[in-house]
Amino acid sequence: MTPYLPVSGRNRVEVLEIAEERWRGIAVARPDLEPALALQRRLLTLVIELTEALDRAPLPRLSLPPKYLAVKLSRGVPGFAGEPVPLPVPTMTPVLLELCKALATGGAGDAATHIRDLIATGQLDAGSLLAASFSRNQAAVRSGAAHRGLAADLVWLVGELAVSPFIHRLHGVFFEHATDDQLVQALRGWDRGYCPACGSWPAIAEVVGGHRTLRCSFCASAWERTRYACIYCDEGGETFVTAAPIDTRKDRRLELCSRCRGYLKTIDLLDLSPFPLLAISDIETTDLDLAAMERGYARPPLKEFTRR
Ligand SMILES: [Zn+2]
Ligand SMILES: [Zn+2]
């Protein structure tokens, strides 16, 4: 069994082709999602272009030796948690502004324009926002947004979208292509509900060939757990159930835990989604989110980690 799976290695054209095919399929099944899909197409195209730009540039020099990462993992601490990583802010900032623009015309209106204006004038510091997003510091982003009268969820979203290609690349370099035995073993042994690279919860579980693969909502890493249990609290008894709330779609299910009231969406696919197309699996299952929330379930906040 290989719990930790490689997911990258496709180029921009291939990724866009896969995306278009999936968007067409969803639009046929769910015409009501058309406006949301149009916005997603604009946002993901920006993310894919940024991915290409970042992949061409050299990575900053980072001191993250494989053995050090392996020790962190063995303690249950994600590799990048608490690490001061310099971000390519000048490359990311224009994309941050474009993402706000796309959101403004795609339905978020003034709330997104306001964020764009404050970033453009420096009243909301792009570097600080990107760093807070990288380190998964929701509290910092929330308070920064509140102080400036901005919609916190939107600020979080644009920060996350702009940083995601960079953390996905770091994940590729330090984890997916790891060759050090100790680190490879630590990754194979990773059996937690949160991402071994960045510590985020999965956005969804993609089930391919019967393998329930957890997909990180931020860096898109892919891993399997050996236990069939709640990813949040490890409950594996009778209070943890999997249900298909929409009768006609048995390929899309909800894992529901009545101990911690957490839920996770799962979807059957032929292949794991390449970065950043996990967002498509997420958007095509928004009816599952509603079904879970109507039953009183929620996704818990991000876990907090110290460096060691
Ligand atoms: Zn991650
Ligand atoms: Zn639970």
Side-chain angles (χ1 to χ4, degrees):
M1 148 147 210
T2 318
Y4 196 73
L5 308 158
V7 284
S8 55
R10 287 192 176 86
N11 67 34
R12 181 173 66 96
V13 176
E14 288 172 318
V15 170
L16 280 169
E17 273 172 13
I18 297 168
E20 287 299 339
E21 195 182 320
R22 287 190 66 186
W23 280 321
R24 272 195 299 274
I26 299 168
V28 169
R30 296 278 311 275
D32 58 307
L33 282 179
E34 287 255 27
L37 296 178
L39 173 59
Q40 187 177 61
R41 180 182 277 111
R42 297 189 60 191
L43 297 175
L44 292 193
T45 302
L46 289 166
V47 171
I48 291 166
E49 284 167 5
L50 176 60
T51 305
E52 204 173 49
L54 289 174
D55 285 353
R56 278 197 301 264
L59 270 184
R61 283 176 61 85
L62 297 173
S63 176
L64 293 169
K67 293 204 166 27
Y68 167 73
L69 293 173
V71 169
K72 281 181 90 171
L73 293 183
S74 67
R75 293 176 180 149
V77 181
F80 302 137
E83 300 299 335
V85 173
L87 303 176
V89 176
T91 314
M92 290 170 170
T93 305
V95 181
L96 209 47
L97 299 174
E98 286 298 315
L99 289 165
C100 291
K101 219 160 117 184
L103 282 162
T105 50
D110 289 348
T113 305
H114 196 187
I115 297 168
R116 186 187 181 281
D117 292 347
L118 294 204
I119 294 172
T121 56
Q123 288 165 275
L124 176 63
D125 181 61
S128 308
L129 167 60
L130 296 165
S133 176
F134 180 86
S135 58
R136 313 275 67 205
N137 192 342
Q138 271 178 323
V141 172
R142 289 209 166 275
S143 74
H147 281 256
R148 295 169 182 84
L150 299 171
D153 289 347
L154 273 183
V155 176
W156 180 257
L157 174 66
V158 292
E160 190 164 67
L161 286 170
V163 177
S164 62
F166 182 73
I167 193 149
H168 172 66
R169 178 158 178 225
L170 286 189
H171 157 262
V173 170
F174 286 93
F175 289 81
E176 191 174 336
H177 301 299
T179 51
D180 178 87
D181 266 355
Q182 203 180 328
L183 180 53
V184 170
Q185 288 309 321
L187 285 168
R188 289 206 179 127
W190 185 261
D191 201 14
R192 317 261 174 172
Y194 50 88
C195 172
C198 75
S200 304
W201 295 117
I204 197 162
E206 293 186 326
V207 182
V208 176
H211 290 276
R212 166 187 177 244
T213 307
L214 302 175
R215 298 302 309 274
C216 175
S217 58
F218 190 31
C219 72
S221 70
W223 74 104
E224 272 186 78
R225 298 191 70 193
T226 52
R227 289 188 64 216
Y228 195 71
C230 173
I231 59 160
Y232 307 112
C233 76
D234 271 335
E235 174 66 42
E238 285 172 11
T239 53
F240 176 70
V241 296
T242 299
I246 292 134
D247 280 346
T248 50
R249 296 292 303 268
K250 301 287 181 213
D251 56 330
R252 308 180 320 150
R253 298 168 298 275
L254 276 174
E255 293 181 5
L256 302 167
C257 174
S258 49
R259 181 167 143 204
C260 71
R261 308 301 296 175
Y263 76 90
L264 176 71
K265 302 184 288 186
T266 83
I267 180 171
D268 292 345
L269 289 174
L270 292 175
D271 282 306
L272 295 178
S273 304
F275 175 83
L277 307 190
L278 196 57
I280 302 180
S281 293
D282 203 16
I283 207 169
E284 82 170 291
T285 49
T286 45
D287 47 347
L288 290 179
D289 290 293
L290 281 180
M293 287 188 271
E294 277 167 8
R295 289 163 173 77
Y297 293 88
R299 299 186 64 204
L302 288 163
K303 256 177 118 67
E304 287 183 29
F305 300 96
T306 49
R307 196 160 168 183
R308 282 164 204 281

